[in-house]
Amino acid sequence: MEKKTKRRDFLFTATYAVGAVGAGAVIWPMIDQMNPDASVKALASTEVDVSAVNPGKTITVLWRGKPVFIRRRTSEEIAEARSVKLEDLKHPEKDEDRAENPEWLVMLGVCTHLGCVPLDQKGDYNGWFCPCHGSHYDTSGRIRKGPAPTNMEIPEYKFVDANTIKIG
Amino acid sequence: MSEHEYTPKSKVGKWFNDRLPLLTLANHLTDYPTPKNLNYWWTFGGILTFCLITQIVTGLVLAMHYIAHADMAFQSVEHIMRDVNYGWLIRYIHANGASMFFLAVYIHIFRSLFYGSYKSPREVIWIIGIIIYLLMMAAAFLGYVLPWGQMSFWGATVITNLFSAIPLVGEGIVTWLWGGYSVDNPTLTRFFTLHYLIPFLILGLVVLHIWALHVPGNNNPIGIDIKKPSKDTVPFHPYIVIKDGFALLMFMIVFAFFVFYTPNILGHADNYIEANPLVTPAHIVPEWYLLPFYAILRSVPDKLLGVIAMLSAILILAALPWLDTSKIRSAVFRPLYKQFYWILVADVLILGYVGAMPAEGLYLLIARIATAYYFLHFLVVLPVLGFTERTTPVPLSITEPILGGSPNLAAAKKKDSFKDQ
């Protein structure tokens, strides 16, 4: 009697297990189809000519459907960004790490709170200000005040030559 | 379901009813015993059914002309407004219909709060209602994205980004929702599909909501259990049908006023500008019916906690039957609860107002106080009140205060009131 019950239990458990794997195998394609498709992924990098950008000017380019700010910073802005003490920052990052070439700040123009595009040269720290929920960013795009949790993101980029930046 | 067995009179009717008892169901619905003291606040269930059907019918028609593609959606909506025969009318009914739907649902919810309709044995009706309300918000949000204007685009960006507050997997979920690295065409097409699906889910839940209602029967303004059928009840048809019908006509006048005289007053002018991923409108505000929750979101300075506070503000309603410890249902017999009820109404209206204002200075301070009070009401005031409040005597039946016989009603009722339980 006891032996028989065990054999049944094993069969049930094995059936449930195979059924669960089968259900998972069917559900996963249904979920994954919503992830970025091949055509979206193919548009992953952009080259930008920055020869016309003078100091104190920002251009905005579209990369992966998101705005990227390319700002050629003035010497005052660089000095301001580099003089801030790390302990004063909500998300401590050195300006040297955010802008290897101090004159050029390349970052995603997306507020890290809920994804709005912050306004240039606004706010309490002479950097950016997000009009949606009032986040203030400094001249290095670091969060200083407001609900955003982190600094604006620096995308992967490199200078292909003196006047061309490749993002992505 | 029905108290008495029903047999159709005709032979054909009987033959059919034996095989599929649709006629028994129809008989149950017409004879359904309803408390005879139901006031006009009880007519909003019928009004909401009308709203749902209006949205489904106008939505079906709009879907025949709308194109769910990032390059064409905005143009196709203008095409509906300018070229399609009566397209302007159908779209204005659909757009304002969403607002009317929420207006009615808020009255319906606050009716329940006042008369304690969420209390035992009606908890399941209440929770199904909260799920319907959540689905309504989802449908309204998804629908607002479809015209692909500036508010559509940035509203979609802000709301989907709420999910990025989830630790570790948040960013992955947002990318998955978008089907890309920002709100774009894949987002629009899936939002259209889901916007089309949700009303039918709501329809199914409405059937469950009414089914669950017909088990214990309606609550009523004095919140007592009544015998059914009895002197305290009237059949649903024709008494309630006529009353609901009259209220619906009044409601349709308000509805028609918005559609024909101020069709855009509840929308935002920015949504007549096509979506532009490079420029965020200076002042993003959700539709009016989401403003109180938006105010709660913004009143918390931390991203994750803000999202949690906003969701809790809605989900706390589902726990209401257990947070309210009072045995007395109707606020009519709860002098203290009645006052706190109106403070809550004012609190929600204040939250709605500050939600539309910029999140800074005095507005932010008011939003924080109002948010704190909102949670205080449900988590502290309601549980404590149930134990400490001195309630006034509850009548034994709806007719008792009139036909009770005793000239000194208050004294006669006192010893039977719920207070002594």
Side-chain angles (χ1 to χ4, degrees), chain A residues 6-139:
Chain A
K6 275 184 179 162
R7 186 181 142 87
R8 256 295 135 89
D9 286 347
F10 173 77
L11 282 173
F12 277 136
T13 310
T15 311
Y16 293 146
V18 172
V21 171
V26 175
I27 289 166
W28 177 245
M30 291 301 179
I31 294 171
D32 193 42
Q33 54 82 23
M34 280 176 68
N35 272 318
D37 61 35
S39 72
V40 170
K41 285 180 184 161
L43 300 170
S45 77
T46 310
E47 287 198 9
V48 189
D49 177 12
V50 292
S51 56
V53 183
N54 295 319
K57 197 171 168 242
T58 307
I59 59 165
T60 307
V61 296
L62 207 59
W63 173 65
R64 289 179 161 188
K66 283 178 179 169
V68 173
F69 294 152
I70 304 177
R71 179 163 180 87
R72 190 163 181 185
R73 298 189 295 181
T74 60
S75 45
E76 298 91 72
E77 287 172 1
I78 299 169
E80 199 180 327
R82 306 225 151 167
S83 65
V84 179
K85 279 188 236 143
L86 278 187
E87 53 266 34
D88 293 343
L89 296 172
K90 188 172 175 184
H91 176 195
E93 270 187 324
K94 279 193 198 153
D95 185 61
E96 286 84 344
D97 298 333
R98 292 177 58 82
E100 271 175 46
N101 179 349
E103 212 179 15
W104 294 96
L105 178 66
V106 179
M107 66 180 177
L108 279 185
V110 174
C111 180
T112 55
H113 181 227
L114 294 171
C116 297
V117 179
L119 303 169
D120 200 0
Q121 298 294 287
K122 288 253 166 63
D124 297 354
Y125 296 87
N126 303 317
W128 284 266
F129 171 71
C130 182
C132 293
H133 307 95
S135 292
H136 299 255
Y137 295 88
D138 66 11
T139 55

Side-chain angles (χ1 to χ4, degrees), chain A residues 30-37 40-41 60-62 64-68 90 110 112-119 129 131-134 146-149, chain B residues 153-154 157-158 161-162 164 172 175-182 184 186 190 277-284 294 297-298 300-303 307 359-360:
Chain A
M30 291 301 179
I31 294 171
D32 193 42
Q33 54 82 23
M34 280 176 68
N35 272 318
D37 61 35
V40 170
K41 285 180 184 161
T60 307
V61 296
L62 207 59
R64 289 179 161 188
K66 283 178 179 169
V68 173
K90 188 172 175 184
V110 174
T112 55
H113 181 227
L114 294 171
C116 297
V117 179
L119 303 169
F129 171 71
C132 293
H133 307 95
Chain B
F153 184 89
W154 291 101
T157 301
V158 168
N161 261 306
L162 292 178
S164 71
T175 305
W176 177 72
L177 288 172
W178 288 341
Y181 303 105
S182 61
D184 210 332
R190 68 192 55 182
L278 292 179
V279 182
T280 306
H283 191 49
I284 294 195
Y294 193 61
L297 168 77
R298 296 196 305 182
V300 182
D302 181 84
K303 180 173 168 177
V307 174
E360 52 199 30

Side-chain angles (χ1 to χ4, degrees), chain B residues 372-383:
Chain B
Y373 183 78
Y374 181 90
F375 287 104
L376 207 68
H377 176 90
F378 290 105
L379 294 175
V380 180
V381 173
L382 286 186

Side-chain angles (χ1 to χ4, degrees), chain B residues 328 331-335 389-395 417-419:
Chain B
I328 306 293
V332 169
F333 306 106
R334 301 183 61 191
E389 187 178 28
R390 274 187 70 82
T391 55
T392 55
V394 177
S417 82
F418 284 79
K419 190 181 61 188

Side-chain angles (χ1 to χ4, degrees), chain B residues 44 48 100-110 133 136:
Chain B
F44 282 86
L48 283 161
M100 293 301 112
F101 207 155
F102 276 95
L103 175 68
V105 91
Y106 282 128
I107 295 173
H108 195 61
I109 291 171
F110 274 101
Y133 174 50
M136 277 175 64

Side-chain angles (χ1 to χ4, degrees), chain B residues 266-327:
Chain B
L266 298 168
H268 298 287
D270 278 301
N271 223 27
Y272 283 102
I273 304 168
E274 192 168 2
N276 180 355
L278 292 179
V279 182
T280 306
H283 191 49
I284 294 195
V285 229
E287 292 282 81
W288 69 267
Y289 39 80
L290 302 175
L291 286 173
F293 301 109
Y294 193 61
I296 291 173
L297 168 77
R298 296 196 305 182
S299 71
V300 182
D302 181 84
K303 180 173 168 177
L304 178 61
L305 292 178
V307 174
I308 290 173
M310 185 182 69
L311 289 177
S312 314
I314 304 167
L315 295 178
I316 203 169
L317 293 172
L320 187 56
W322 296 276
L323 289 172
D324 185 347
T325 51
S326 175
K327 283 196 170 67

